[in-house]
Amino acid sequence: MAIPAELNYTEDHEWVKIESETAMIGITDYAQDQLGGLVFVNLPAVGDTFAVGAVFGEVESVKSVSELLAPLSGKVIEVNAELESAPETINNDPYGAGWIIKMSVSDPSQTGALLDATAYEALTA
């Protein structure tokens, strides 16, 4: 199971890549493995705003439907529209082409609550 050291993580199995005031968000390799083959991704609209912990979308697999929770507060500035026709991209490349949204972060201090790779690895052990 891949857990890239340069990313941050949530206890809800999402990864966060912070670049200045922008956060790229996806689900972890562990999460996609537990879900199995993804068949549908429900994405938010560009411009939607979410508070930390709010539901911003869903991923549906052959096993279940899982809510996606905002790891940080902010506004959606880009969605990975490719996932609408190819949700399995998340299974194949969760940390690359399988990213889900990018958001502008409204409260950068919230990044302190995210897990580093070591803490996330302990969580999933």
Side-chain angles (χ1 to χ4, degrees):
M1 177 180 60
I3 303 175
E6 69 275 10
L7 301 176
N8 292 296
Y9 301 89
T10 70
E11 291 181 1
D12 299 307
H13 308 290
E14 293 164 349
W15 59 264
V16 182
K17 181 178 182 180
I18 306 289
E19 295 176 335
S20 184
E21 304 275 320
T22 302
M24 180 185 285
I25 301 160
I27 65 170
T28 64
D29 190 27
Y30 175 86
Q32 71 77 25
D33 183 61
Q34 294 296 305
L35 287 166
L38 294 175
V39 296
F40 180 74
V41 179
N42 182 17
L43 299 169
V46 171
D48 286 354
T49 57
F50 297 96
V52 67
V55 175
F56 72 82
E58 295 176 334
V59 289
E60 182 178 340
S61 73
V62 294
K63 295 181 182 178
S64 67
V65 175
S66 296
E67 294 179 331
L68 300 168
L69 305 178
L72 303 165
S73 297
K75 181 164 101 175
V76 177
I77 56 173
E78 189 176 347
V79 298
N80 188 350
E82 298 293 321
L83 299 178
E84 292 174 340
S85 61
E88 68 278 1
T89 303
I90 294 172
N91 295 112
N92 299 331
D93 190 10
Y95 300 115
W99 65 274
I100 298 172
I101 65 168
K102 293 181 184 177
M103 65 189 321
S104 62
V105 178
S106 60
D107 184 357
S109 70
Q110 293 173 339
T111 60
L114 298 173
L115 305 174
D116 64 14
T118 303
Y120 185 70
E121 185 173 15
L123 176 74
T124 59

